[in-house]
Amino acid sequence: MAGELRTQRHRGYQDPCGDGGDALTVWAERAGRRRAAGHERGGLRFAFYGRVSTEDHQDPVTSLARQQAQAAALVAGRGRIVASFFDIGQSRTLAWARRPQAAALVAALADPDRGWDAIVIGEYERAFYGVERRSVR
């Protein structure tokens, strides 16, 4: 369903809730990412990642708006987007390390004071390609 955060059901997946509950919330609580005060102010803080290729004459402004709207729908009721990483003119076939904004996002993961708890991607095919893409589905 569009706009609904879904838990991946891979072989060997163990439901951390044990009852089919919200796995993202359980993860955040166990990881210490969800603080009571932060939850009262809107839940988890998300970093958005998106990408547009200008090879096919895609409009970066329109593409960014569409991807951000989809990402916002995914996190609705669970938190808010507080940071944005958006690559323009970068092919999805490039590894994240070779896309400037994707690389910055990965580098920020090491900083415990980065200001966000989780990552949201509005259109997974914008972020992943080939083997990466198959592992996300």
Side-chain angles (χ1 to χ4, degrees), residues 1-91:
M1 295 180 182
E4 183 178 314
L5 190 63
R6 289 170 265 170
T7 302
Q8 297 296 317
R9 301 288 178 177
H10 296 290
R11 242 180 307 169
Y13 171 80
Q14 296 294 317
D15 180 0
C17 304
D19 63 356
D22 186 349
L24 180 60
T25 301
V26 171
W27 165 83
E29 288 169 351
R30 287 183 184 169
R33 293 280 181 211
R34 186 177 190 190
R35 296 170 306 283
H39 179 60
E40 291 168 7
R41 283 184 259 131
L44 292 171
R45 301 163 303 164
F46 289 86
F48 162 79
Y49 176 74
R51 182 200 61 81
V52 65
S53 171
T54 56
E55 288 179 3
D56 297 331
H57 306 290
Q58 297 173 352
D59 175 36
V61 174
T62 304
S63 185
L64 172 60
R66 183 185 67 251
Q67 291 178 57
Q68 283 182 324
Q70 289 172 332
L74 285 169
V75 304
R78 290 179 173 80
R80 66 198 183 289
I81 297 171
V82 298
S84 184
F85 298 84
F86 190 70
D87 280 312
I88 298 174
Q90 303 295 316
S91 171

Side-chain angles (χ1 to χ4, degrees), residues 8-9 15 30-31 38 40 43 69 89 96 113 118 122 129 132 134 136-137:
Q8 297 296 317
R9 301 288 178 177
D15 180 0
R30 287 183 184 169
E40 291 168 7
W96 278 46
D113 297 321
Y129 179 77
E132 293 174 337
R134 286 192 298 271
V136 172
R137 284 187 164 180

